């Protein structure tokens, strides 16, 4: 027992934060890998004129993630964040390999790959829900924005990694290229599994299960000041005590009770808007977007995803620098406004100047990606991790993740269908309007969380719920 305790004490806070957020690599790799694999898969399976089937193959992971996020959220409240992250890594490894060895059976091959990628999506959705919750529960309030932002850095690093892998494999025979692109996703999943084996459980989950001694030990790894540990433990215990006194049993209806409704709508709404704003249309289909704009073959445009990936990584680092210097709401509203204009202006310019250079839309997409990368991309997951009260955090984080993936799935599914029936500029203008609606939502429905402890944020929501209950006309 003493040997185990000594081994545990060697766990550094840097190791905890790194592997606590490493699940984002899996998330990001699978978002990005199909960008490069799709042109080769289309040619190998003769799917060039099958827009619906291409949309389903691309979006199948997101469809599975809808259910993976909700399921993992509930199970993590019962078994813990750490165990569920380990399970996600195993599922990810298995179905990544099965994607890469898809049998060539004609049209049936496409349906096999769709089903396998849906099951892979269970792990991707679980990671998207579990990692922000784990990181927010480990990080101190004053650094929670920056440390939770590690999740976004991992996501975009995973995307960039997949773009580079796609580019390096593009000269292989078509069948081998896409198979290796998809199958190599098992490598970061294995690294995640080995790293998380040494991670401790979240102190808030441990306290919720009554293990105060272990919760204190975990906090000692990541808090330097003993007084800070005592204060945080007391704050968490007080919240847990109030929940026990109320004999509260959480259910889906609990999420929308007067006490929690305000915070749940805010968190789930931000998660949904992040995807319905259309970012993943760029990330999944940028080679096809450039092909439609310039006439060049999509398989020869695999440098553009790398450009987008570099912008995303740089933006995530910018976010970590400014995360705790600006209010969350301010960054979301400024970012959303610029993103909306970046989508709307190409349609306006094309209407005024029909002979517009076709690459103009790609330039505006780069501006969109730049602002998305340090505002909505990281802040969505920071908010999802910190806005929900302890009693409902697992379930509510899962719900937010599911709505996020519903948006991602729909965008991935319908974008090729929309661009087959209308100009690209018009499609992106629709997404631009949704960006502006997201700005309005943040201004009217989302509380400020920067610098507040998780317990203070819960109190804000409770007070707001009481005001709404006593003044229903407001």
């Amino acid at each position: 027992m003493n040997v185990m305790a000594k081994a545990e004490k060697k766990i550094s806070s840097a190791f905890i934060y790194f592997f606590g957020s490493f699940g984002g690599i899996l998330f990001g790799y699978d978002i990005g890998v199909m960008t490069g694999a799709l042109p080769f898969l289309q040619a190998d399976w003769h799917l060039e004129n099958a827009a619906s089937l291409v949309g389903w193959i691309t979006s199948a992971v997101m469809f599975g993630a809808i259910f993976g996020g909700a399921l993992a959220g509930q199970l993590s409240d019962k078994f813990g964040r750490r165990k569920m992250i380990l399970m996600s890594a195993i599922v990810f490894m298995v179905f990544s390999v099965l994607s890469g060895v898809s049998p060539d059976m004609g049209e049936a091959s496409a349906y096999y790959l769709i089903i396998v990628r849906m099951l892979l999506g269970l792990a991707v959705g679980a990671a998207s829900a579990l990692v922000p919750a784990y990181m927010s529960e480990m990080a101190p309030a004053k650094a929670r924005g920056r440390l939770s932002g590690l999740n976004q850095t991992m996501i975009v690093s995973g995307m960039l990694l997949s773009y580079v892998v796609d580019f390096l494999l593009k000269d292989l025979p078509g069948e081998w290229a896409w198979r290796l692109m998809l199958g190599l996703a098992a490598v970061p999943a294995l690294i995640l599994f080995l790293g998380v084996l040494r991670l401790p459980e979240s102190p808030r989950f441990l306290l919720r299960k009554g293990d105060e001694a272990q919760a204190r030990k975990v906090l000692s790894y990541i808090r330097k000041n003993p007084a800070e540990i005592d204060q945080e433990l007391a704050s968490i215990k007080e919240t847990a005590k109030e929940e026990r006194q109320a004999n509260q049993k959480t259910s889906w209806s609990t999420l929308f009770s007067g006490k929690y409704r305000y915070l749940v709508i805010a968190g789930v709404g931000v998660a949904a808007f992040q995807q319905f704003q259309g970012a993943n249309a760029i990330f999944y289909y940028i080679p096809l977007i450039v092909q439609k704009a310039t006439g060049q073959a999509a398989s020869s445009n695999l440098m553009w995803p790398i450009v987008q990936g570099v912008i995303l990584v740089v933006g995530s680092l910018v976010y970590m620098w400014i995360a705790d210097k600006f209010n969350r709401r301010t960054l979301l509203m400024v970012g959303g406004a610029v993103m909306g204009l970046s989508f709307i202006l190409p349609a306006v310019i094309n209407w005024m100047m029909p002979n517009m250079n076709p690459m103009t839309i790609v330039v505006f997409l780069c501006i969109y990606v730049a602002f998305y990368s340090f505002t909505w991309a990281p802040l969505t997951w920071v908010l999802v991790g910190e806005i929900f009260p302890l009693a409902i955090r697992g379930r509510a984080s899962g719900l937010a993740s599911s709505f996020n993936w519903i948006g991602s799935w729909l965008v991935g599914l319908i974008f090729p269908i929309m661009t087959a029936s209308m100009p690209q500029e018009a499609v992106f203008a629709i997404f631009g309007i949704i960006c502006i609606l997201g700005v309005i939502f943040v201004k009217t429905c989302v509380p400020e969380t920067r610098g507040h402890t998780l317990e203070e944020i819960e109190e804000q929501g409770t007070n707001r719920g009481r005001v709404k209950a006593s003044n229903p006309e407001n």
Side-chain angles (χ1 to χ4, degrees):
M1 185 70 177
N2 290 335
V3 174
M4 290 181 64
K6 289 180 180 178
E8 277 194 323
K9 286 186 179 296
K10 293 181 181 178
I11 303 175
S12 68
S13 59
F15 183 92
I16 291 172
Y17 293 138
F18 178 81
F19 278 103
S21 60
F22 194 83
I25 290 280
L26 277 64
F27 183 177
Y29 189 95
D30 220 88
I31 287 176
V33 69
M34 190 54 76
T35 302
L38 191 58
F40 298 100
L41 179 61
Q42 282 181 301
D44 189 27
W45 286 356
H46 308 292
L47 301 176
E48 291 87 347
N49 298 315
S52 297
L53 208 52
V54 167
W56 267 107
I57 291 173
T58 304
S59 64
V61 164
M62 288 75 82
F63 185 79
I66 295 169
F67 306 98
L71 184 62
Q74 294 183 67
L75 293 177
S76 71
D77 281 345
K78 183 175 182 180
F79 298 110
R81 310 336 182 197
R82 175 182 172 275
K83 288 182 180 177
M84 292 309 303
I85 293 175
L86 285 171
M87 286 297 301
S88 299
I90 293 171
V91 173
F92 200 99
M93 277 188 282
V94 171
F95 289 103
S96 293
V97 173
L98 291 178
S99 296
V101 297
S102 299
D104 194 347
M105 306 178 295
E107 187 173 328
S109 301
Y111 295 110
Y112 166 90
L113 187 56
I114 289 169
I115 292 170
V116 168
R117 283 176 56 78
M118 283 182 183
L119 295 171
L120 174 61
L122 294 175
V124 176
S128 73
L130 295 169
V131 170
Y134 182 84
M135 288 299 291
S136 69
E137 293 180 359
M138 300 297 281
K142 63 183 179 182
R144 194 171 57 239
R146 185 172 68 255
L147 289 174
S148 295
L150 274 175
N151 179 46
Q152 178 61 21
T153 300
M154 290 295 189
I155 291 172
V156 295
S157 296
M159 293 173 67
L160 179 57
L161 175 64
S162 72
Y163 297 150
V164 171
V165 168
D166 289 349
F167 185 80
L168 293 176
L169 298 178
K170 67 182 177 67
D171 293 325
L172 290 176
E175 180 180 0
W176 281 103
W178 69 263
R179 290 182 184 279
L180 279 174
M181 290 172 185
L182 298 183
L184 284 174
V187 175
L190 177 61
I191 296 172
L192 173 67
F193 180 83
L194 295 175
V196 174
L197 280 176
R198 293 195 62 212
L199 287 188
E201 184 52 85
S202 152
R204 282 176 171 80
F205 175 80
L206 291 168
L207 266 182
R208 188 177 182 186
K209 295 301 181 182
D211 194 348
E212 182 176 346
Q214 187 63 24
R216 181 180 293 276
K217 181 183 291 186
V218 173
L219 282 174
S220 72
Y221 304 153
I222 52 181
R223 307 285 190 269
K224 296 180 180 179
N225 188 339
E228 183 183 1
I229 294 173
D230 291 337
Q231 183 179 1
E232 189 163 347
L233 282 171
S235 180
I236 298 170
K237 285 166 66 178
E238 180 61 30
T239 300
K241 180 181 177 182
E242 291 175 1
E243 292 164 4
R244 285 195 299 270
Q245 287 175 342
N247 193 27
Q248 184 179 53
K249 297 185 182 295
T250 60
S251 64
W252 287 112
S253 61
T254 304
L255 302 186
F256 297 97
S257 66
K259 181 178 180 181
Y260 299 123
R261 184 187 305 119
Y262 170 61
L263 294 177
V264 170
I265 290 175
V268 172
V270 168
F273 267 110
Q274 187 209 42
Q275 290 303 324
F276 282 107
Q277 289 168 338
N280 280 346
I282 303 172
F283 305 143
Y284 300 147
Y285 297 111
I286 186 64
L288 300 179
I289 292 170
V290 177
Q291 174 181 285
K292 189 163 186 176
T294 65
Q296 299 174 351
S299 59
S300 67
N301 288 315
L302 296 188
M303 183 57 72
W304 276 105
I306 295 178
V307 172
Q308 304 288 350
V310 170
I311 293 173
L312 285 168
V313 171
V314 172
S316 75
L317 297 176
V318 169
Y319 169 75
M320 291 181 69
W321 177 52
I322 68 173
D324 296 303
K325 299 179 181 179
F326 296 93
N327 285 344
R328 317 278 198 242
R329 282 161 43 91
T330 300
L331 289 175
L332 286 173
M333 288 189 287
V334 170
V338 176
M339 287 155 53
L341 289 174
S342 298
F343 273 163
I344 293 170
L345 285 177
V348 173
I349 294 172
N350 187 60
W351 174 65
M352 297 176 66
M353 302 169 57
N355 295 322
M356 175 185 77
N357 187 320
M359 288 302 290
T360 301
I361 189 171
V362 180
V363 173
F364 275 103
L365 292 185
C366 290
I367 296 172
Y368 173 100
V369 170
F371 276 82
Y372 175 82
S373 68
F374 67 86
T375 58
W376 279 84
L379 278 168
T380 295
W381 302 112
V382 173
L383 278 167
V384 165
E386 68 187 4
I387 202 170
F388 299 126
L390 177 62
I392 61 168
R393 184 164 300 137
R395 194 184 294 267
S397 295
L399 182 66
S401 175
S402 292
F403 269 83
N404 185 269
W405 285 109
I406 288 171
S408 182
W409 167 59
L410 286 174
V411 169
L413 178 63
I414 69 174
F415 182 78
I417 299 172
M418 292 174 70
T419 55
S421 59
M422 67 178 76
Q424 285 191 141
E425 294 84 357
V427 176
F428 285 118
I430 294 171
F431 288 131
I433 293 171
I434 296 174
C435 289
I436 302 303
L437 293 176
V439 172
I440 296 171
F441 177 82
V442 170
K443 183 173 179 59
T444 57
C445 299
V446 178
E448 184 54 57
T449 59
R450 181 173 72 99
H452 296 286
T453 67
L454 300 182
E455 286 66 41
E456 288 170 347
I457 296 169
E458 177 172 350
E459 184 63 23
Q460 285 187 64
T462 300
N463 292 338
R464 180 70 174 259
R466 288 170 182 159
V467 171
K468 289 287 186 182
S470 61
N471 298 282
E473 70 278 4
N474 294 333

